[in-house]
Every structure is written in C-alpha cells, then in structure tokens.
Amino acid sequence: MLQHAYNPVNWKAWNDETLKLAKAQNKLIVISVGYSACHWCHVMEEESFENDSIARIMNENFINIKVDREERPDIDQIYMSAVQLMTGSAGWPLNCITLPDGRPVFGGTYFTKNQWSKILEEISDLYETNPQKVIAYAEQLTAGINKIGIINVNKKAVPFEAEQLKSFVEDLKNELDFENGGKKGAPKFPMPSSLNFLLRYSVQFEDETIQQFVMTSLTKMANGGIYDQIGGGFSRYSVDGKWHVPHFEKMLYDNAQLVSLYSKAYQITKNKSFKTVVIETLDFIERELMDASGSFYSSLDADSKNKNGELEEGIYYTWHIDELKALLREDFKMFKSYYNINAIGKWEDDQYILYKTLSDEAFARSQNISLSEFETKLLRWKAELKQIRNKRIPPRRDEKVLTSWNAIMLNAYVDAFKAFKKTSYLKTAIKSAKFLKENQIQQDNSMYHNYKNGVSTIDGFSEDYAHTISAFIELYQVTLNEEWLDTAKALMEYTMAHFLDKDTSMFYFTSNEANNLIARKTEVADNVIPSSNSVLAHSLYKLGKYYSNKTYKRMAEEMLTNIYDDLESIPTAYTNWMTLYLNYVKPHFEVAICGEKALAKLDTLNQKYLPNIILSGAEKASGLPLLKNKYVDNETLIYVCVNGTCKLPVQNVTTAIKQISN
C-alpha cells in the first residue's frame, strides 16, 4: 500500500470495511497481490496502475484491493489456488477479479496495459448484463478451491522404514543436477529445505554420492552470480542453469536458511569457503537488513536507479570493464581471470556479473602465487569495489518485519554460533528472540505477524507460531535457558487451541478467529520455506521428548503418517517431512548435560554436526523431565539416551559423541 500510495487507482486494504463496501455498492473486487521486491509487479504498476485511463475504469467499476503477499499469505494462498485452477499456473503479480463477497471469477498474473483494460471492461460488462453467469462460475471455482489441499487422514499403520526412505531419495535423484547442483534445468532456486534433508541423509546413511551433490550445490551457488561476491548474501534464484544470472532481489528467508545450511556443511567439511559465505552473508544482513531493535527487514528490491534516475534490474550489482580497469589497475588481469570478466561472465549491455569457476586454492596455483598472498589481494579487491558500489543508489528496502522470517533468521544465528563459536552471533540471536517475545507475542500467547514503525499488526498465521517455536527450541539448545523452551511450549498450546483441525491432527494456516476469508487452507507442502505443518510436527516431536508429553509425540507421528502417501508420489515437495522421517528410521538421541560445566561442554558438543539429537542441560538441578535425577554435586555428566533409556553417564564430550556415533 505504501509503494502504491501515489497511484491514481483508489487502492484499499483487505479488511471488513472494504468487503462491506463492495457488497453495499454491489461492485466486483480487483485483488492485486504482489510484494515489494517483485520486478514484474513494478512493471505492471508503471504500465497500468499509474495510467489515468486504466485507473478510471478500475475506480468506476470495481473496489480495488492491494495485498502484500508477505503480509497476508492467507489471502495469497486462496487466490493463488484460484488462478492455478483457472490457468494451470500462477505467480506474481497475482491479479484476481472477484464477486463482492470475495469469490473469484477471473485471474492471472502479469497483463499488459491493453490486455488489462480489455479484461476490466469485458468482465464489468458481463457482470452488469448477466450476473447469474458470473455468480455460477464463482460458485464452481470456490468449491474447487476448498477441495485443494484437503487432508486425507491415513488410518493405515505406516511402518517407517529405512529402505522406504532410500526409495524416496532414489526418486529425488532423478531431479538433481549432479554437475551444477540444485534441481535440473532453469530457473534454479537454492531450495535449502531439500539440501538440508539431503545433507542429513547423506551423513546418517553414509551416502557419499548424495553428500557430494550437496557440497557441489553449495560450492556452485557460492561461486555463482546468485551470490553477491562483493557484499555477501544470496539473490532469490538464478534465471539460468549454472547459478550465473540472478533475479537480483535478496530475501531475508533465503539468506537465513542458507546461513544455517552452510554452517552445517562447515561442521562436516571445515571448508573455509563455506565459512566465508556465512560470515559475509551475516555481515550483509547486519549491514542492510537489521534494525536496531534486533528485528530484521524483509528484502531488498531487484531494481535500483541508474545514472538517469530510471529503475533498472541488477544495475547496483553489475560492472563494466572500463570501471574495473580504472579501479584495479595492474590487478585487473588477475581479477578478470578470477571473476570471469569474459564471455562466461558477460550478462547484457556490456555488463558483467562476477562469477567464479575455480576455488581460491586452484586459482592461486594457476597464478603461481601463495594462497595467503592471493587472499590478501581478494580482500582488497572486495573492499575497493564495495567502496565504489556504496556510491551507487542502493536497491529499495522493504522495511516490514515478519515474525516467521525473523524466527528463521534467529535460527540461522544459532546455527552459525554452533559452527563458529562467535559470541556476537549468540548475542544477536538472543536479541532477536527478545524482540519477538516483547513485541510479537501477546499475554495470551497469541502472536502478531507484522511489525513496522514500532507497531505490531495482523494476527499471526500458523507459520509464525511454527517458526518461532522451532527457533526458541534451538535457542534453548545453545543457552540452556529454559525460558525459551517454556515459551515454545506455551506457543504450541495456543497453536493447538486455535489452529488445529482435530479431525486430521493437522494445522490450518489461519486461526479459528479469522472470519472474512472464503476458504481455510492447510499448508503441508514444503517449498522454498518448509511448510508450517512440517515445522510444527518437528517441534511436537521435540517438545514431546522434552516434556514427556505423549500427546505431542502421538500428534507428530500422526501428522507424518497423513503425509506418507504424498511422500511416495512427490517426495520433492515434502523434504522437511522426510527430515522428520529420519527420526523414526535411525536412532534419535536425547543428550542431557548436568553440572556446573554444562555450558562449556555444550559448546564443544555443538561444534559437531549431530542432526539426530536434542540437547538439554542445566548447571544445577532442574525439573525438566529430561533432566530429572541427573544432577550430581561437583560433577558435570553427559547422558546419552534413546526414548528415555540412558547409557552410563560420561564426563568427556568425545566419549559422548562416540556413544551417539555407535
């Protein structure tokens, strides 16, 4: 709404008042869904929504609602489903025309000015001359929307088996690009949920082929144009199959999940380049997306203004040969070779996207210089180019703060702290958690979804509860502060009271207090961000163990059972569910550390990649079920347990790790 405030279109927000107005005036509604960093949303705005003649048609014949899909994912879900039913595909901008009560009658994505004008006039005329035809179509379409995503309760006993999971992975392999990483074809999205599952699977099943695929994916992404070689951080996707040309928008959720993924990969490999990616990406986050409150902004636009003051995609990040020559002088030849300022790295209009094809070690050897000498040069190059780039007009920033994305970012700082033991990362994670608790969680444990300019708004969705619960559990596992675990449990209780479908043991996306939507959806498929239901199932599994809660344990298993048939048919869409599946087919340990040196031993343990454990601990006696009767005066003991049955306690972290590994 802020970006479109100066359009001649009379945009209104989605709320009860706007919907009542549409009904009172018996006007069709135009619902236009986009987001701040969406390039084609800006194009349609410039061509159509800033056009006086188009605006006149819209204002005279329609009630016009502008929706930010990131603020209102519930609305986006419904009309995305509608457009998919009507056209077979969908994307953003998403434009839907509905009856005055919100039931859709027409939809699509980007339209040219002439197309949009024709659509508006034809549908407006049809509604005036033959409203029953329009209403009948809306009824059919709404029925179809409500059928999408219906959860079929699986009442069969599902034997979770390692061999079955292997067969899911074999199906996944058919879609993997083993040469360039990621999925086959283009465009290429990082899909961190999928890579996270495959990384864990490769370790627990000792699958070297899969592990090499993950490492190839991470290396190729870090070398590619999708990664900002100068400023750190990842763009949302590349338009080609080699990670070269990005769609230049930078999203908080992508960078958060990739920080977690590269941190875990570093724990396994100690690959120095993975560490560099994490450090540079978090530097980017703190420099460009972090607020003083401890919260994180949503995104940076793909477009920024060029020298003529016109918005141009990628202009902030790309380079011309002449400016590189002038800046780098005698180092240009080496720089040119390292970053492929040639036919490989060329983009369009004589612009180059920095793109690596060799590791630093291999490149230094090719130039007959030491690695340390080259690394010194590289740091100088980055500093000099960053200084020049800082003089350009930066991309626009979307400064809304979303609870779910902030929780994912909190989780990233926890994972980075575990891998690198950098205390500033832990301090940032705690500050972020305090921000969420003080601003986004209310006294009754309900949550807000959005925060901007000091004001929290929009009732939370299941994704907000899911990711916050998950992040607080992870924060507990590096701090041993039970406040975070207890808050996670309280949020889970609220989620069960207000989002749970008791017939299916799955969670609706919207609360039972939301009442102005034409459908109530259940999100189960894992996309770029794991689904709210899969994240909640993981947390129910963990909280069930922490609190010896049989209801939580049963629900986690029921949820996974309900998804079993989908896993068999489309495993690529359920990778976070498959991560949970691993808990049932391989040993999953509860590790308790009790005693005055608990935090020190915890830090050592956390540096190891151990995805099949949950950690608990205390420096004194605790009433947490996992810690009961485990504290011994003047000793710090580590207990490795499975389903409450513990091996003999040990004092040495290395010995405990061997118990887990064996």
Side-chain angles (χ1 to χ4, degrees):
M1 289 291 287
L2 291 172
Q3 281 195 355
H4 290 263
Y6 299 103
N7 295 170
V9 176
N10 183 19
W11 292 115
K12 298 183 182 299
W14 178 283
N15 53 41
D16 290 338
E17 290 72 23
T18 301
L19 298 176
K20 286 177 183 176
L21 180 65
K23 291 176 183 177
Q25 296 185 4
N26 192 28
K27 280 188 174 181
L28 296 173
I29 301 173
V30 169
I31 300 172
S32 180
V33 184
Y35 58 101
S36 176
C38 169
H39 172 72
W40 286 102
C41 300
H42 302 325
V43 174
M44 190 162 178
E45 176 188 17
E46 183 179 339
E47 292 178 348
S48 295
F49 302 147
E50 292 180 354
N51 182 282
D52 289 335
S53 61
I54 297 288
R56 189 178 305 111
I57 298 170
M58 293 177 68
N59 293 336
E60 289 177 359
N61 299 285
F62 301 88
I63 298 296
N64 303 294
I65 298 178
K66 176 55 70 174
V67 174
D68 183 323
R69 69 168 292 262
E70 296 162 356
E71 284 188 340
R72 294 302 304 262
D74 54 334
I75 299 169
D76 179 61
Q77 277 183 356
I78 290 169
Y79 295 104
M80 180 67 69
S81 297
V83 173
Q84 285 171 335
L85 280 174
M86 285 185 272
T87 69
S89 63
W92 300 279
L94 188 75
N95 293 289
C96 218
I97 297 176
T98 79
L99 295 176
D101 60 9
R103 289 179 293 170
V105 297
F106 175 85
T109 54
Y110 165 77
F111 297 103
T112 65
K113 181 182 74 173
N114 291 337
Q115 288 172 333
W116 187 235
S117 174
K118 185 178 180 183
I119 289 163
L120 293 171
E121 290 173 342
E122 288 181 353
I123 293 180
S124 179
D125 289 344
L126 181 62
Y127 187 61
E128 185 175 341
T129 58
N130 194 353
Q132 287 306 314
K133 183 176 181 179
V134 179
I135 292 169
Y137 180 68
E139 288 174 349
Q140 290 180 334
L141 189 56
T142 303
I145 292 169
N146 280 285
K147 288 178 182 177
I148 295 176
I150 289 178
I151 303 300
N152 295 313
V153 178
N154 191 347
K155 296 184 179 180
K156 300 178 293 184
V158 173
F160 299 120
E161 296 173 338
E163 289 304 312
Q164 183 60 62
L165 188 59
K166 284 183 180 180
S167 82
F168 294 157
V169 173
E170 286 301 313
D171 290 341
L172 271 175
K173 283 182 180 178
N174 295 325
E175 300 192 28
L176 304 181
D177 183 344
F178 284 88
E179 180 182 356
N180 296 301
K183 290 179 70 174
K184 291 177 181 176
K188 271 197 188 304
F189 288 81
M191 302 305 290
S193 173
S194 177
L195 292 172
N196 183 65
F197 161 68
L198 291 171
L199 183 68
R200 179 174 165 184
Y201 175 90
S202 75
V203 170
Q204 292 196 257
F205 278 80
E206 298 179 344
D207 190 324
E208 292 183 9
T209 300
I210 288 295
Q211 188 163 134
Q212 185 55 51
F213 163 77
V214 175
M215 300 310 167
T216 297
S217 298
L218 297 181
T219 300
K220 296 278 189 175
M221 285 192 293
N223 288 348
I226 191 174
Y227 182 69
D228 181 352
Q229 302 293 334
I230 301 304
F234 291 86
S235 296
R236 195 160 73 94
Y237 64 91
S238 70
V239 300
D240 62 292
K242 294 185 177 181
W243 308 107
H244 175 214
V245 180
H247 185 43
F248 290 90
E249 61 194 7
K250 287 181 173 180
M251 313 301 295
L252 181 68
Y253 59 79
D254 282 320
N255 285 283
Q257 291 178 96
L258 289 168
V259 163
S260 290
L261 185 58
Y262 278 89
S263 296
K264 293 172 185 177
Y266 177 81
Q267 288 177 308
I268 297 168
T269 64
K270 304 304 177 187
N271 184 322
K272 191 175 178 180
S273 68
F274 293 168
K275 181 177 182 179
T276 299
V277 166
V278 172
I279 291 171
E280 290 182 345
T281 299
L282 290 179
D283 284 348
F284 151 71
I285 292 291
E286 290 167 17
R287 186 177 64 248
E288 300 188 42
L289 290 179
M290 189 175 181
D291 182 71
S293 66
S295 63
F296 300 95
Y297 301 134
S298 295
S299 63
L300 294 181
D301 208 327
D303 304 338
S304 51
K305 288 185 178 179
N306 58 26
K307 292 178 180 179
N308 299 322
E310 300 168 338
L311 285 175
E312 184 176 341
E313 184 181 5
I315 193 66
Y316 184 74
Y317 300 101
T318 56
W319 302 89
H320 289 89
I321 284 182
D322 289 344
E323 63 181 334
L324 292 173
K325 282 181 178 178
L327 178 65
L328 297 163
R329 299 173 298 280
E330 67 275 5
D331 273 355
F332 173 71
K333 185 177 179 181
M334 188 180 293
F335 180 95
K336 175 184 177 182
S337 180
Y338 181 69
Y339 279 125
N340 287 287
I341 309 302
N342 51 35
I344 295 173
K346 191 172 184 179
W347 179 34
E348 57 185 28
D349 298 328
D350 292 323
Q351 295 176 90
Y352 290 83
I353 298 169
L354 303 186
Y355 182 67
K356 292 165 53 178
T357 48
L358 288 176
S359 69
D360 290 355
E361 294 82 359
F363 184 79
R365 284 195 303 271
S366 75
Q367 300 295 311
N368 294 315
I369 61 174
S370 68
L371 178 61
S372 61
E373 184 182 353
F374 173 67
E375 287 175 338
T376 300
K377 281 183 178 290
L378 184 59
L379 287 173
R380 186 175 70 248
W381 294 345
K382 289 183 177 183
E384 289 175 350
L385 266 65
K386 190 182 295 182
Q387 190 175 16
I388 294 299
R389 204 171 75 173
N390 287 343
K391 296 176 182 178
R392 300 174 180 175
I393 300 172
R396 294 179 294 186
R397 182 169 65 188
D398 184 353
E399 295 189 354
K400 68 175 178 287
V401 171
L402 299 176
T403 297
S404 54
W405 296 8
N406 271 246
I408 297 169
M409 193 70 241
L410 190 170
N411 211 337
Y413 272 97
V414 169
D415 286 330
F417 170 70
K418 287 164 67 174
F420 306 111
K421 310 319 301 173
K422 195 172 178 180
T423 54
S424 63
Y425 292 164
L426 181 59
K427 287 179 180 178
T428 301
I430 293 170
K431 187 176 182 179
S432 173
K434 287 181 177 177
F435 166 83
L436 290 173
K437 189 168 184 181
E438 292 168 6
N439 294 278
Q440 300 305 87
I441 302 175
Q442 301 180 69
Q443 288 294 320
D444 64 352
N445 291 309
S446 63
M447 299 188 76
Y448 289 112
H449 176 64
N450 190 44
Y451 176 90
K452 188 173 173 67
N453 297 330
V455 180
S456 300
T457 57
I458 305 176
D459 291 339
F461 306 107
S462 61
E463 67 174 24
D464 298 303
Y465 294 84
H467 291 292
T468 303
I469 292 166
S470 176
F472 283 5
I473 292 172
E474 295 304 311
L475 185 58
Y476 164 73
Q477 292 188 90
V478 293
T479 62
L480 303 184
N481 182 345
E482 291 181 22
E483 170 193 353
W484 304 118
L485 199 59
D486 290 340
T487 304
K489 183 176 183 293
L491 290 173
M492 183 62 81
E493 288 294 323
Y494 185 93
T495 311
M496 291 170 64
H498 294 275
F499 291 83
L500 182 64
D501 179 351
K502 293 180 181 178
D503 293 331
T504 64
S505 293
M506 307 298 272
F507 293 86
Y508 289 113
F509 192 75
T510 51
S511 161
N512 56 8
E513 296 178 356
N515 56 16
N516 61 7
L517 300 173
I518 63 168
R520 199 175 180 200
K521 309 296 287 181
T522 304
E523 180 192 54
V524 294
D526 299 318
N527 205 304
V528 175
I529 299 176
S531 68
S532 51
N533 270 282
S534 70
V535 176
L536 285 165
H538 276 270
S539 293
L540 283 165
Y541 177 91
K542 293 174 183 176
L543 291 172
K545 292 203 167 196
Y546 278 121
Y547 291 98
S548 296
N549 188 309
K550 292 181 180 178
T551 299
Y552 291 172
K553 293 177 184 177
R554 174 183 54 77
M555 284 183 62
E557 191 165 342
E558 285 178 355
M559 293 172 77
L560 183 57
T561 299
N562 284 341
I563 297 299
Y564 186 80
D565 290 343
D566 296 304
L567 282 175
E568 286 189 304
S569 58
I570 324 173
T572 52
Y574 299 93
T575 49
N576 198 46
W577 290 103
M578 287 196 282
T579 305
L580 179 61
Y581 197 116
L582 277 164
N583 293 355
Y584 294 94
V585 299
K586 289 285 188 179
H588 196 270
F589 299 93
E590 306 102 45
V591 178
I593 310 174
C594 296
E596 61 182 16
K597 297 180 181 177
L599 278 171
K601 292 184 185 292
L602 176 68
D603 281 351
T604 304
L605 191 64
N606 268 329
Q607 291 181 61
K608 183 83 173 173
Y609 180 69
L610 298 168
N612 56 329
I613 68 171
I614 63 166
L615 281 162
S616 61
E619 294 177 312
K620 55 187 179 182
S622 167
L624 192 69
L626 277 185
L627 301 177
K628 276 187 177 178
N629 304 318
K630 289 185 172 70
Y631 180 80
V632 177
D633 286 336
N634 303 317
E635 289 193 74
T636 299
L637 300 174
I638 305 172
Y639 298 81
V640 175
C641 317
V642 177
N643 293 325
T645 301
C646 301
K647 300 181 181 184
L648 288 174
V650 298
Q651 294 182 323
N652 187 279
V653 172
T654 303
T655 306
I657 290 172
K658 285 181 179 177
Q659 289 183 336
I660 295 165
S661 301
N662 292 337

